[in-house]
Amino acid sequence: MRVYLPSTLNGLARILRDRELGPVPLTAYAVTPALREWYASADLEELEYAAMSDAAKASLRLLADDPEAPSRRVVIVAEAPDKAVTYAAGDLVDAEDRAVVRVSEPIPFSRIVSGHIDDAEAEPDIRAARAAIGAADAGDEDARFTVDGAAGHDLMWYATQELPHLLP
C-alpha cells in the first residue's frame, strides 16, 4: 500500500542515516475506504493528493514540536506491505482522520518512492503556520487561516537519490 509519511528535514536526515523509516508504529496517510467514501467522485490521483495533503499538515505538527528543524514540510512516499498497514474507521474524529493509517513495520529505504518538500520560498508561511498549528487545532479561526496559507504552497517532488542533497 502506498503511504504518505509526515516528516521534517531533521527526520529526513535520520531516515537517510538509518536507511529506514521507524520506529514503529508509524502514523501515515493513505487512500483508505473512509477517504474513498468521503471523496466518492475523485479518481485515484485526487485521493492520493488528499492523503498527501493531510500528511503535509501533520508535518506542521512535527515542525511545531521540533524548533531546531528548518521550516519546510516533508512528506515521504513509500510502499508498505499491506499486512503492516491498519486503519480504524470507527475512530474518526475529523476529516483529517479519514486517511490516517498505522504502519506496524519499519519501512526500509528501498521501499521509499519519493520525497515531497517545501521550496525555500515557502519558509515564511511555513514558519507562521508551524507557530499557529496548535491554536488552529484548538479552533482559532485566525490560526486556521494561517495554517491554510501553508497549504497554498505545493510540495516539490524529489526522487530518492536527490534527497541527501536537500539537507541543510
Side-chain angles (χ1 to χ4, degrees), residues 26 38 43 47 62 94 115 117 127 146 167:
L26 296 164
W38 172 72
D43 63 19
L47 291 167
L62 296 176
D94 59 33
I117 302 169
R127 192 174 302 109
T146 300
L167 298 178

Side-chain angles (χ1 to χ4, degrees), residues 9-90:
L9 286 175
N10 289 349
L12 176 60
R14 283 188 300 277
I15 293 165
L16 292 170
R17 181 193 68 220
D18 298 344
R19 306 303 288 172
E20 72 175 15
L21 287 102
V24 294
L26 296 164
T27 298
Y29 297 80
V31 177
T32 63
L35 184 63
R36 285 182 188 278
E37 182 179 328
W38 172 72
Y39 204 5
S41 64
D43 63 19
L44 181 59
E45 185 175 334
E46 291 169 312
L47 291 167
E48 288 178 335
Y49 184 80
M52 186 170 68
S53 295
D54 287 349
K57 190 170 183 181
S59 176
L60 284 175
R61 291 183 185 92
L62 296 176
L63 287 169
D65 292 339
D66 184 0
E68 300 300 316
S71 293
R72 294 170 76 182
R73 297 168 300 165
V74 175
V75 175
I76 303 297
V77 183
E79 294 293 337
D82 288 347
K83 66 181 179 59
V85 179
T86 58
Y87 57 89

